Every structure is written in C-alpha cells, then in structure tokens.
Amino acid sequence: MKIAVIWSSPNTDGLTAAAKNKFMAGLQYTGAEIDEIHLNKLQIEHCKACGNGWGSCAQKGQCWIKDDFEVTYQKLVDVDGIVLISAVYWHDITECMKAFLDRLRRCETAHNHFLSGKRCFLVACAGGTGLGAIECLHNMEETLRHMGMRAYDRIPVIRYNKEYILPALETAGEVYAKRIVSGFDMQY
C-alpha cells in the first residue's frame, strides 16, 4: 500500500510540520510506503488559463508548463491514498497548495479522471486564531469533489487544540491506512 502525504508550509518546524509528522508516524505503524511531498520545495507554477481558459489540460489532460507538476501528479495517480496537509493563510490553503490543486483540478475534471474515487484525508493547520481552519478544510474538500475524489476525514489543528489533536493524528494515520487496505464503508 502506497500513500502520498502532500503538505505545504514554509515552516518546516511549525504546527503543519508537526501534524504531518504525527500522521506519518501513524501510517508507519501499518507498514505503508509513504511518499512525502513538500510542495514548498518544488517548482510549481500557477495556472496560466491558456487557450481561453481551457488549454492542453482540457484537450490532453496535461499542462504545457514545464515544472514539477507532472511528476507530482503522476505520484498521486500511482498511490492508494492521498493526504493533504496545509497551513492556513487567510482562511484558505497555502498558495503552493492552491497552485498545485488548481492545475490538478483542470487536468482531472476536463480529461483524465485518474484520481476519481480516491479517498483522501484532509488536515488544515491554523496557528493564529484558528477561525480559518474549517473554511480551509471546506475549500479543500470542494476541490476534491470537482475531481470525483472523496474526503475520508477532515481535521482542523489549531494552536489551542494541538495538545490533544496532534496525538489523535497519529491514530488517524494508522486507521486511515488500515481502511485503505480493508475498504471504506462510507457512502455519499
């Protein structure tokens, strides 16, 4: 079983990194093969909305921009599960995560559908007031829904709940990996 953990935060020693580490620790209990993808370390450009808004992504299911997008996209196609963990900026995902998901959505919804039906786990980490974490999770799930993907669970991590949510993320990682192997009973 292979799981991609995609995360985005420029702070490699902050709340988002701690959440990622706890979730990955839980995945490791199951022996899952983990592909950690730190979007801040990659070169992924924003969508240029070429061809009157629908360029090669709609026609061929691939983007013409030459950067780390295609390789990262293929990694998601090849895994059994996908975990998205983002810091929260202005009640939304990070700009790195947004750039990646915007281009992914264009290729997936218009042409490919390679990721349709994949079960994902969503984590939003807000270090400020925490008010944006739920809205961020909602935005992440809406993006997944456009691609036919499903959120298995959504966890807000804020500075006020981190003492009990971070340990829970370790358990969540383990349970998520086990459910990928045994199947999911959720319907929606």
Side-chain angles (χ1 to χ4, degrees), residues 31-103:
E33 183 181 339
I34 303 166
D35 191 352
E36 179 184 342
I37 302 166
H38 187 191
L39 291 175
N40 293 71
K41 301 242 185 244
L42 302 178
Q43 178 65 35
I44 297 180
E45 299 293 324
H46 290 274
C47 176
K48 307 297 184 204
C50 61
N52 292 326
W54 295 101
S56 60
C57 55
Q59 304 304 318
K60 299 178 184 173
Q62 56 190 161
C63 184
W64 64 270
I65 300 171
K66 299 300 177 210
D67 58 11
D68 294 324
F69 172 76
E70 281 297 326
V71 171
T72 306
Y73 183 9
Q74 187 59 50
K75 287 180 179 185
L76 299 189
V77 172
D78 295 338
V79 298
D80 302 299
I82 300 170
V83 180
L84 299 173
I85 303 173
S86 180
V88 177
Y89 296 146
W90 306 106
H91 297 238
D92 208 348
I93 57 179
T94 66
E95 289 78 0
C96 293
M97 182 79 75
K98 180 129 179 65
F100 177 71
L101 290 178
D102 282 348
R103 287 175 59 194

Side-chain angles (χ1 to χ4, degrees), residues 79-141:
V79 298
D80 302 299
I82 300 170
V83 180
L84 299 173
I85 303 173
S86 180
V88 177
Y89 296 146
W90 306 106
H91 297 238
D92 208 348
I93 57 179
T94 66
E95 289 78 0
C96 293
M97 182 79 75
K98 180 129 179 65
F100 177 71
L101 290 178
D102 282 348
R103 287 175 59 194
L104 185 69
R105 176 172 40 193
R106 284 182 172 269
C107 291
E108 274 296 299
T109 59
H111 189 274
N112 293 342
H113 312 291
F114 298 145
L115 304 177
S116 183
K118 288 207 183 205
R119 305 290 171 93
C120 303
F121 201 103
L122 309 177
V123 180
C125 303
T129 64
L131 294 175
I134 299 300
E135 190 171 343
C136 179
L137 290 167
H138 170 77
N139 294 342
M140 291 167 82
E141 187 164 3

Side-chain angles (χ1 to χ4, degrees), residues 138 140-150 188:
H138 170 77
M140 291 167 82
E141 187 164 3
E142 282 299 306
T143 301
L144 294 182
R145 200 170 292 152
H146 290 158
M147 296 183 277
M149 300 163 75
R150 295 182 176 184
Y188 68 91

